[in-house]
């Protein structure tokens, strides 16, 4: 009966959220607060009943029967609860109610908190309605099967088990940022205090989204067997768009918080980030991606998601149109200043988001127009993939990174460009030398040279900035730099490392498929691979064909064992690649199929992925930096006027022009 | 050009052999990465083990070795399978807008920035360090 209890709890959570929205938007702030906490507990307990059903293998629950199996290991039984549409929507609801509860418990009392809880209640109501009426995970089967159908074996992997929770912490985290934006607009107060209180939520959600995307990329890299970590697939782009917009948001929030500027733009981004999260969910969940037909067969889910997106976005934009003219413009600033640099940051990030959006949606729109016979069939079939995104996005990223060290060092309101550039000369020299070395090492072209140039420029620039902030204080002073400075430095270094890794990996990866019979060998990237044949091995819920390959490099030999696994329950197969890590990158060996026309000859796919760890490591540093900035906020959640006292880096004037910073006398 | 290539295609070699010349092989692999495997779900021919992908890889390598340009090889696939086969949208017709709009947006943004810098640059502003960022005007 436990799943019925879960069903009931979900209805209770829906009721709590409805009451929370009414009370929060009227005058019952304190009651809304309690309801938010209670609703989140109901939602969490509801998810718990689903997880228990999965762990206990209760096949009378339709979802368990469809997605689990008695042979499945415990971790994947638990993760199976959200490894499907209905369960993941319940997780979505839990996280959304959870954000409301955390806000209720931690935010300072006041109109902003109450209204934000009200709006969050509305969003939670919408999510629960969607869950309960079009994607209920609580359905029972009249005639339960003896065993379940199993989980897609590709998803039986630790990275992908954790991928949805982090992705949703990011996506849904944007819901509370949205609620704060709507609340601020209702109150007519989008000011420095609003920005200070909104930024931690944006930082947390954005960092979780970073981790979620990175986990997905890591999984694609080692589980799909072809060594790619990003393919510009619409599913990937769906998570990348909100990431880009929220990256712009965490930067524009700085301007609003520190200077009171860019208020209407910032609030617009806050609304947009959640709308793009909803759009991403629509793209992934409606079936519109696989084909327009799939969407047409069961249009309820997609249509309702679109209506939800329209309602949330439309209401927020209407609020925006009503209040934006009344928002105060911030104090004036010179284009050459920290504000100016952050405006450029937002320009490049939002154009990047726009091009990813257009590149993702255009083929679907064309296909739809073709189906409706509004355009010719030839014109309706277009693919937009890697070449488009690389050629258009690379210049944006390059611009973004070129301005990054300047933005970090420039003072607010007005900066002197010449001394700043002179001061950054060492970084520029290091970057140019590194790019020349990279170009000399391999004939990989301008793309790679430019990637290394901007990546090294950023890393060197950040290091210089840290040294400058430390001043004459030396190492001791460096360690005492505030957490916000470290958060920024680490995230920016992560970005530089990511760009170096991504361009080198993309430009210089080599891959080759060798047909090998036992005893034959192949050579690649300084390694010799001797194929010794295959053996059949039994796993817990699969049967593996394991290849034994002796890999020799620098006179040392080791055994690499890539596998092909076949899962009898779901009648699907997966590839388990063998990865040998080296300092310069990964040697990646996958066992392919046996050749049809020849006996005992196997396709062995060998690839070298240079600097692949820089890609994932860079992304991890970006997230760590985001969390550090968030931690800095939590540590000094003091009243506004105490802030000035806790900014020791303040003493450092603009580099190269010591007297300029001190001379400020407004 | 296409006739002999199809003839070569049909005369299927048993194994996939990379081109000995590394630059040519790299070019061939780049084209494989942007050519869709028509029988797979959103995969390029470079990754897939499907027969169509194997044949496509072989065709690409042969054409590269025969001295065909990248554009000629792309055209070979697009003429047979339609634009859908190429992950690279064409650079003609309305698709120029697709390629151009990000740069146009950036250009507009930078132009607005430039106008402010040259024409309406506010005067009399002094730098403000981090600790004093809260000060007005």
């Amino acid at each position: 009966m436990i799943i019925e209890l879960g069903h009931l709890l979900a209805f209770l959570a829906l009721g709590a959220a409805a009451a929370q929205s009414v009370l929060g938007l009227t005058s019952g702030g304190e009651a809304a607060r309690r309801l938010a906490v209670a609703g989140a507990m109901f939602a969490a307990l509801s998810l718990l009943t689903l997880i228990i059903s999965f762990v206990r293998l209760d096949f009378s629950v339709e979802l368990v029967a469809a997605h689990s199996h008695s042979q499945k290991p415990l971790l994947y039984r638990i993760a199976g609860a959200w490894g499907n549409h209905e369960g993941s929507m319940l997780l979505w609801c839990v996280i959304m109610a959870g954000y409301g509860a955390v806000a209720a418990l931690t935010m300072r009392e006041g109109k902003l908190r109450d209204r934000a809880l009200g709006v969050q209640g509305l969003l939670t109501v919408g999510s629960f309605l969607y869950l309960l009426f079009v994607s209920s995970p609580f359905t029972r089967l009249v005639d339960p099967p003896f065993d379940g159908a199993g989980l897609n074996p590709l998803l039986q992997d630790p990275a992908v088990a954790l991928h949805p929770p982090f992705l949703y912490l990011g996506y849904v985290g944007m819901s509370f940022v949205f609620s704060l934006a709507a609340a601020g607009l209702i109150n007519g107060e989008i000011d420095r205090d609003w920005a200070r209180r909104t930024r931690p939520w944006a930082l947390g959600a954005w960092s979780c989204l970073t981790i979620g995307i990175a986990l997905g990329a890591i999984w694609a890299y080692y589980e799909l067997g072809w060594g790619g970590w990003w393919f510009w697939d619409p599913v990937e782009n769906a998570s990348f768009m909100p990431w880009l917009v929220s990256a712009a948001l965490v930067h524009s929030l700085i301007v609003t918080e520190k200077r009171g500027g860019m208020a209407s733009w910032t609030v617009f981004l806050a609304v947009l980030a959640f709308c793009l999260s909803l759009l991403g969910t629509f793209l992934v969940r409606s079936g519109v991606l696989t084909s327009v037909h799939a969407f047409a067969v069961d249009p309820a889910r997609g249509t309702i998601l679109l209506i939800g997106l329209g309602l949330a976005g439309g209401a927020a934009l209407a609020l925006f149109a009503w209040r934006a003219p009344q928002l105060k413009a911030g104090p004036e600033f010179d284009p050459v200043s920290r504000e100016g640099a952050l405006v450029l940051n937002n320009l490049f990030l939002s154009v990047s988001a726009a091009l990813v959006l257009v590149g993702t949606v255009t083929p679907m729109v064309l296909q739809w127009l073709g189906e409706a016979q509004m355009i010719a069939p030839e014109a309706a079939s277009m693919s937009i993939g890697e070449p488009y995104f690389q050629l258009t996005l690379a210049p944006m990223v390059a611009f973004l990174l070129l301005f990054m060290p300047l933005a970090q060092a420039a003072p607010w309101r007005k900066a002197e460009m010449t001394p700043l550039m002179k001061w950054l000369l060492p970084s520029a020299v290091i970057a140019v030398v590194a790019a020349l070395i990279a170009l000399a090492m391999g004939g990989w072209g301008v793309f790679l040279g430019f990637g290394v140039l901007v990546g090294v420029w950023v890393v060197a620039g950040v290091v210089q900035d840290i040294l400058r902030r430390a001043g004459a204080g030396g190492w001791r002073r460096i360690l005492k730099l505030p957490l916000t400075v470290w958060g920024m430095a680490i995230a920016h270094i992560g970005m530089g490392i990511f760009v170096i890794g991504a361009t080198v990996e993309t430009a210089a990866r080599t891959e080759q498929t060798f047909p090998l019979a036992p005893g034959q060998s192949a050579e690649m990237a300084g390694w010799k691979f001797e194929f010794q044949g295959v053996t059949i091995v039994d796993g817990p819920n699969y049967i593996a064909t394991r290849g034994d390959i002796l890999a020799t490099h620098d006179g040392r030999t080791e055994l690499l064992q890539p596998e092909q696994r076949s899962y009898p329950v779901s009648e699907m197969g997966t590839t388990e690649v063998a990865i040998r890590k080296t300092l310069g990158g990964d040697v990646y060996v996958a066992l392919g199929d046996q050749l049809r026309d020849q006996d005992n000859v196997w396709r062995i796919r060998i690839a070298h992925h240079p600097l692949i760890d820089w890609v994932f490591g860079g992304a991890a540093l970006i997230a760590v930096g985001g969390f550090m900035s968030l931690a800095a906020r939590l540590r000094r959640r003091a009243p506004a006027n105490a802030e000035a006292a806790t900014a020791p880096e303040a003493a450092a004037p603009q580099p190269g022009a010591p007297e300029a910073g001190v001379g400020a006398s407004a | 050009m296409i006739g002999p290539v199809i003839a070569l295609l049909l005369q299927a070699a048993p194994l996939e052999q990379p081109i000995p010349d590394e630059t040519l092989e790299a070019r061939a692999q780049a084209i494989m990465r942007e050519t869709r495997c028509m029988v797979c779900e959103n995969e390029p021919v470079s990754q897939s083990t499907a027969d169509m992908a194997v044949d496509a890889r072989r065709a690409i390598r042969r054409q590269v070795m025969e001295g065909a340009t990248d554009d000629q090889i792309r055209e070979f696939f697009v003429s047979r399978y339609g634009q859908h086969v190429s992950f690279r949208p064409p650079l003609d017709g309305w698709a120029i807008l697709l390629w151009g709009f990000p740069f146009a947006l950036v250009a507009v943004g930078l132009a607005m920035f430039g106008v402010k810098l040259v024409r309406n640059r506010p005067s009399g502003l002094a730098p403000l360090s981090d600790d004093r960022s809260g000060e007005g005007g």
Side-chain angles (χ1 to χ4, degrees):
Chain A
M1 285 302 107
I2 192 149
I3 200 73
E4 280 72 25
L5 181 64
H7 203 168
L8 179 69
L9 284 163
F11 272 103
L12 286 175
L14 169 67
Q20 171 195 334
S21 60
V22 173
L23 289 165
L25 289 171
T26 52
S27 56
E30 194 49 39
R33 210 175 80 93
R34 296 212 181 106
L35 281 164
V37 177
M41 281 169 69
F42 294 146
L45 287 172
S46 175
L47 176 63
L48 188 65
T49 66
L50 185 67
I51 293 175
I52 290 173
S53 302
F54 266 86
V55 171
R56 279 192 186 163
L57 297 168
D58 181 352
F59 295 122
S60 69
V61 176
E62 190 181 356
L63 203 63
V64 181
H67 298 283
S68 195
H69 191 275
S70 53
Q71 285 180 13
K72 210 159 72 167
L74 181 65
L75 171 68
Y76 302 120
R77 282 195 213 164
I78 296 173
W82 56 73
N84 55 76
H85 172 77
E86 290 82 358
S88 75
M89 287 324 295
L90 178 55
L91 179 68
W92 170 291
C93 292
V94 170
I95 293 175
M96 188 171 268
Y99 270 107
V102 173
L105 293 172
T106 58
M107 277 183 78
R108 198 167 70 228
E109 199 180 330
K111 260 187 349 188
L112 181 65
R113 182 195 71 186
D114 297 348
R115 301 282 182 277
L117 284 179
V119 178
Q120 185 76 3
L122 283 178
L123 297 175
T124 313
V125 166
S127 305
F128 269 108
L129 287 177
Y130 180 76
L131 175 83
L132 288 165
F133 295 105
V134 281
S135 38
S136 172
F138 307 111
T139 316
R140 284 271 191 195
L141 289 173
V142 185
D143 191 11
F146 176 67
D147 209 335
L151 173 73
N152 182 342
L154 282 173
L155 303 181
Q156 298 190 24
D157 177 271
V160 86
L162 289 174
H163 167 70
F166 273 103
L167 206 58
Y168 279 9
L169 279 171
Y171 272 5
V172 184
M174 293 305 157
S175 73
F176 198 68
V177 176
F178 175 96
S179 297
L180 285 165
L185 286 170
I186 294 171
N187 295 338
E189 286 167 358
I190 301 288
D191 50 13
R192 295 185 56 204
D193 184 56
W194 173 84
R196 186 183 355 265
R197 296 172 71 186
T198 302
R199 191 151 182 266
W201 300 95
L203 276 170
W206 175 69
S207 306
C208 288
L209 191 54
T210 311
I211 293 179
I213 295 174
L215 284 174
I218 291 172
W219 169 76
Y221 171 67
Y222 68 66
E223 185 65 32
L224 296 186
W226 48 274
W229 47 274
W230 194 265
F231 183 59
W232 301 103
D233 188 279
V235 175
E236 297 166 335
N237 294 350
S239 60
F240 191 39
M241 293 183 283
W243 187 89
L244 286 166
V245 170
S246 47
L249 174 65
V250 297
H251 288 94
S252 79
L253 272 168
I254 301 175
V255 179
T256 312
E257 175 185 340
K258 295 289 182 189
R259 300 288 295 146
M262 290 170 81
S264 46
W265 172 251
T266 301
V267 84
F268 173 71
L269 285 180
V271 168
L272 191 64
F274 181 59
C275 289
L276 285 175
S277 299
L278 281 180
L279 180 70
T281 312
F282 164 74
L283 290 180
V284 176
R285 291 291 165 205
S286 66
V288 74
L289 287 183
T290 9
S291 122
V292 176
H293 291 298
F295 175 53
V297 169
D298 181 16
R301 286 178 177 171
T303 313
I304 291 176
L305 275 172
L306 268 191
I307 292 173
L309 171 61
L311 281 178
L317 289 180
L319 263 180
F320 184 70
W322 172 47
R323 286 293 195 186
Q326 301 159 39
L327 294 180
K328 268 183 276 171
E332 227 183 349
F333 59 87
D334 192 275
V336 183
S337 62
R338 175 89 57 93
E339 291 96 321
L342 288 168
V343 168
L344 290 179
N345 156 294
N346 268 244
L347 173 67
F348 301 131
L349 283 173
S350 44
V351 171
S352 301
L355 77 87
V356 175
L357 175 66
V358 170
T360 308
V361 173
T362 303
M364 290 173 213
V365 172
L366 287 178
Q367 197 193 345
W368 182 76
L369 288 174
E371 305 268 333
Q373 306 205 321
M374 286 158 84
I375 53 172
E378 313 87 77
S381 81
M382 177 183 278
S383 302
I384 300 182
E386 194 176 82
Y388 174 77
F389 291 109
Q390 257 177 23
L391 286 170
T392 50
L393 195 65
M396 306 299 153
V397 175
F399 276 128
L400 187 70
L401 266 63
L402 279 178
F403 284 103
M404 206 184 253
L406 295 169
Q408 276 189 213
W412 293 101
R413 198 161 62 186
K414 181 173 174 59
E416 295 299 334
M417 219 42 194
T418 325
L420 206 57
M421 306 258 256
K422 265 190 201 150
W423 169 74
L424 274 168
L425 198 62
S427 292
V429 172
I430 294 172
V432 170
V433 170
L436 290 176
I437 291 174
L439 283 176
M441 272 170 67
W444 300 309
V446 189
F447 177 64
L448 177 128
F450 218 72
V452 172
L453 180 81
V454 292
V456 173
W457 157 251
V458 161
V459 174
V462 174
V463 171
Q464 260 198 291
D465 191 51
I466 288 286
L467 293 175
R468 170 184 72 91
R469 284 171 198 265
W475 282 107
R476 230 173 252 179
R477 184 90 170 82
I478 286 186
L479 293 176
K480 282 188 186 155
L481 283 174
L483 213 47
T484 44
V485 171
W486 276 116
M488 168 184 72
I490 286 175
H492 286 182
I493 286 178
M495 185 70 195
I497 287 178
F498 170 81
V499 167
I500 297 170
T503 43
V504 170
E505 204 276 336
T506 308
R509 81 163 72 119
T510 47
E511 54 193 343
Q512 210 158 301
T513 307
F514 299 94
L516 294 179
Q520 289 183 325
S521 58
E523 276 180 49
M524 194 175 145
W527 289 70
K528 181 167 173 268
F529 302 92
E530 192 191 327
F531 182 51
Q532 302 212 303
V534 298
T535 42
I536 306 294
V537 191
D538 278 339
N541 55 345
Y542 58 84
I543 300 161
T545 309
R546 177 189 288 164
D548 288 322
I549 292 163
L550 286 178
T552 313
H553 179 64
D554 280 348
R556 275 195 299 178
T557 300
E558 56 200 284
L559 184 64
L560 297 179
Q561 297 183 307
E563 291 178 9
Q564 271 208 11
R565 291 182 184 169
S566 120
Y567 291 73
V569 173
S570 52
E571 296 180 348
M572 284 181 72
T574 65
T575 4
E576 292 298 307
V577 297
I579 294 177
R580 166 67 161 82
K581 294 224 165 277
T582 68
L583 214 54
D586 284 2
V587 174
Y588 183 105
V589 182
L591 179 66
D593 298 330
Q594 195 171 0
L595 291 194
R596 268 160 305 171
D597 40 8
Q598 284 176 33
D599 196 37
N600 214 12
V601 179
W602 296 76
R603 286 205 180 96
I604 312 285
R605 181 192 180 80
I606 301 171
H608 182 240
H609 295 282
L611 301 193
I612 183 77
D613 286 336
W614 292 41
V615 174
F616 304 132
L621 285 179
I622 294 174
V624 168
F627 282 127
M628 285 172 77
S629 291
L630 171 63
R633 291 310 150 112
L634 299 183
R635 252 176 44 176
R636 51 182 179 127
R637 241 182 357 149
N641 52 11
E643 174 136 315
T646 56
E649 85 269 34
Q654 171 178 349
E659 68 289 344
V662 187
S665 59
Chain B
M1 159 90 228
I2 286 172
V5 171
I6 294 174
L8 283 169
L9 246 175
L10 294 175
Q11 170 208 328
L15 298 178
E16 273 191 83
Q17 293 291 357
I19 308 174
D21 181 332
E22 272 182 33
T23 357
L24 289 185
E25 173 67 15
R27 252 188 68 208
Q29 289 199 3
I31 299 174
M32 290 173 202
R33 279 207 288 269
E34 59 175 69
T35 305
R36 181 191 287 273
C37 165
M38 297 299 280
V39 297
C40 319
E41 200 171 302
N42 212 16
E43 254 188 297
V45 296
S46 61
Q47 298 161 20
S48 173
T49 50
D51 288 345
M52 184 266 172
V54 177
D55 290 344
R57 287 198 290 263
R58 214 173 275 151
I60 291 170
R61 286 211 174 91
R62 262 197 221 292
Q63 296 187 47
V64 166
M65 283 199 290
E66 286 174 359
T69 65
D70 291 4
D71 277 337
Q72 282 168 333
I73 302 175
R74 276 178 210 133
E75 185 47 40
F76 169 79
F77 282 98
V78 169
S79 64
R80 301 175 103 216
Y81 297 100
Q83 191 59 49
H84 191 58
V85 76
S86 175
F87 283 110
R88 180 189 294 266
L91 194 55
D92 58 24
W94 67 268
I96 289 180
L97 281 180
L98 182 72
W99 285 94
F101 90 91
F103 300 99
L105 284 179
V106 166
V108 169
L110 289 179
M112 283 164 64
F113 201 80
V115 166
K116 170 131 170 132
L117 194 62
V118 178
R119 295 268 172 85
N120 309 329
R121 191 165 187 175
S123 56
L125 295 179
L128 212 54
S129 57
D130 281 348
D131 60 327
R132 308 172 65 151
S133 61
E135 294 170 15

